[in-house]
Amino acid sequence: MRQVVLDTETTGLEPEEGGHRVIELGAVEIVDRKITGRHLQLYMDPEREIDDAAFEVHGLEAGFLADKPKFAEVADQFLSFVGDAEVIIHNAPFDLAFLNYELSLLDRPGTAKLEDLCTVTDSLALARRKHPGQKNGLDALCRRYEVDNSARDLHGALLDAEILADVYLRMTGGQMSLFGDDDDGLAETLGEREIVRLPDDRPATIVVRASTEELVVHEAYLDGLDASAENGAVWRARSRDRPGAPVP
């Protein structure tokens, strides 16, 4: 599965009414829940002034952007990067409003809306479902999931996308492999270990089964996981997949 974590910086808050434009795009690639190191960063000349409030957020000046390409010149590069992926954006409606406005200015068939080209997931909406009533901005999530955001003095599209990629993976289950990325290295290491065989005359293993009360408590705990986890309780799903497993 390929995912792209995306963020933008803009000249202001209103794309259509205020004519505000995208000035930076940052995107980070995730494949099979691993950050690949492949990323995209694009600066663009917005052909207009930048609001003071926006400048205070990202620190990007019109002078720095003056020699950068226009959005129309990098649109194909951007669309190629995100086209076959699930795109993850924090507070997606904000970024989508700007990106769709930019796409509408291209006046090209088939590129009217980003949602028409790829699946979009709002990580802010996901965080609010998992942590109702709590702060779910990117900085708050970094504190909650122990993600280092010490370099985030100013907002930057690529920096924020990198931070969000780490937050998203932790928020949706973290690392999938218990032993990390190097499965081949793990197999090689295990292959080098001496095999220890238990004696044939060892005592029979004592099996202690859960009481009815303990099973009730366990099922209640799994019900809680079903309600809070994005994909439900993995333990319950795996138990049902095992031949002969009891069905609650």
Side-chain angles (χ1 to χ4, degrees):
M1 177 176 63
R2 182 172 184 268
Q3 298 168 300
V4 170
V5 181
L6 177 67
D7 189 52
T8 66
E9 300 300 338
T10 65
T11 61
L13 296 178
E14 295 291 340
E16 294 191 12
E17 294 182 11
H20 285 289
R21 307 291 298 273
V22 176
I23 55 178
E24 184 190 0
L25 282 167
V28 174
E29 182 183 63
I30 299 174
V31 176
D32 295 334
R33 296 190 58 81
K34 294 181 176 64
I35 298 173
T36 66
R38 183 169 176 249
H39 66 269
L40 179 70
Q41 183 179 34
L42 298 169
Y43 291 106
M44 287 146 286
D45 175 12
E47 302 180 273
R48 58 154 294 150
E49 292 300 313
I50 299 170
D51 281 4
D52 291 341
F55 174 77
E56 292 297 321
V57 172
H58 50 62
L60 294 173
E61 298 178 328
F64 169 75
L65 300 168
D67 63 346
K68 302 301 185 288
K70 312 297 189 293
F71 183 90
E73 299 174 63
V74 298
D76 288 336
Q77 185 180 0
F78 164 63
L79 294 174
S80 175
F81 193 85
V82 304
D84 63 345
E86 174 192 5
V87 176
I88 299 160
I89 308 174
H90 206 65
N91 192 19
F94 176 86
D95 299 80
L96 286 176
F98 277 92
L99 292 169
N100 290 338
Y101 177 64
E102 294 284 1
L103 292 173
S104 72
L105 297 178
L106 300 179
D107 193 24
R108 294 192 302 185
T111 57
K113 291 185 177 181
L114 189 63
E115 305 96 299
D116 297 334
L117 305 173
C118 53
T119 302
V120 177
T121 296
D122 187 353
S123 55
L124 177 58
L126 173 61
R128 285 172 173 167
R129 290 196 299 270
K130 291 180 69 69
H131 309 291
Q134 301 182 50
K135 292 182 178 180
N136 289 298
L138 189 54
D139 286 333
L141 291 174
C142 284
R143 291 190 294 272
R144 187 172 301 142
Y145 289 101
E146 300 182 345
V147 172
D148 182 12
N149 66 341
S150 57
R152 198 178 184 238
D153 295 328
L154 290 172
H155 289 229
L158 180 59
L159 174 61
D160 285 0
E162 290 172 337
I163 292 173
L164 179 57
D166 199 356
V167 166
Y168 175 81
L169 289 174
R170 297 187 187 206
M171 184 168 60
T172 57
Q175 185 174 309
M176 294 299 289
S177 173
L178 177 62
F179 298 100
D181 298 340
D182 191 6
D183 291 336
D184 291 339
L186 169 66
E188 182 178 342
T189 301
L190 291 176
E192 292 172 354
R193 294 180 182 176
E194 180 182 356
I195 297 175
V196 178
R197 300 189 183 280
L198 297 175
D200 294 334
D201 59 348
R202 71 184 187 279
T205 302
I206 299 174
V207 178
V208 179
R209 301 191 181 279
S211 67
T212 301
E213 292 79 9
E214 289 169 333
L215 289 173
V216 170
V217 172
H218 177 66
E219 289 302 320
Y221 178 75
L222 293 181
D223 288 341
L225 289 180
D226 271 334
S228 61
E230 182 184 19
N231 296 316
V234 175
W235 176 267
R236 177 172 282 164
R238 294 289 176 84
S239 297
R240 287 169 175 164
D241 291 340
R242 293 201 311 267
V247 178

